[in-house]
Amino acid sequence: MVIPIRTDAHLVMVKIEDLILADIDKNLLTIYTVDGIYKTKETLSNFQNRVNRHNFIQISRHSIINIDHLKSLSDSFSGNMMAKMTRGIKSSVSRKYVKSLMDYLGL
């Protein structure tokens, strides 16, 4: 299944399984895929609804990850964790979301 991502210049079709991480900063959503990085004005919640699949999980107020691309987790500061993803991408798992991530992983 593919999902369209609207960038400033064009509409990109990306396979859902190729999505690694979506991270919002102010009004700009950055979507990391196995093929590249795309920026769009879509909201994180709208994007999460469009990829409404069991393998996507929220790891902070501003990020969701595709669990299929999660390589490792390590402890970070203040009870947070660091998620290492495919292609060397890293993202912080905030303390608020650590328990739900661990539950999802069955730990």
Side-chain angles (χ1 to χ4, degrees):
M1 186 169 155
V2 297
I3 185 168
I5 298 171
R6 182 179 301 280
T7 65
D8 284 342
H10 51 284
L11 196 62
V12 182
M13 304 306 279
V14 177
K15 291 180 185 171
I16 287 184
E17 60 267 18
D18 289 347
L19 297 170
I20 299 171
L21 165 77
D23 185 77
I24 193 97
D25 182 30
K26 297 190 177 37
N27 295 347
L28 205 56
L29 183 66
T30 304
I31 301 166
Y32 297 84
T33 72
V34 295
D35 295 323
I37 299 170
Y38 304 101
K39 293 186 183 289
T40 182
K41 297 215 185 290
E42 186 172 2
T43 65
L44 182 64
S45 59
N46 188 57
F47 182 75
Q48 192 168 11
N49 288 335
R50 292 200 307 135
V51 297
N52 189 12
R53 305 247 320 252
H54 69 280
N55 51 335
F56 285 86
I57 188 163
Q58 191 152 7
I59 60 164
S60 70
R61 198 168 46 94
H62 54 83
S63 297
I64 60 170
I65 60 169
N66 181 344
I67 208 77
D68 295 339
H69 288 278
L70 179 63
K71 296 294 184 195
S72 68
L73 287 167
S74 57
D75 289 332
S76 189
F77 57 93
S78 307
N80 292 354
M81 295 190 87
M82 183 59 67
K84 293 184 181 148
M85 309 295 293
T86 304
R87 294 189 67 223
I89 298 164
K90 294 179 183 178
S91 187
S92 180
V93 182
S94 69
R95 218 176 27 233
K96 178 181 174 184
Y97 292 91
V98 167
K99 183 179 178 347
S100 62
L101 178 58
M102 291 302 152
D103 289 347
Y104 182 91
L105 295 172
L107 300 173

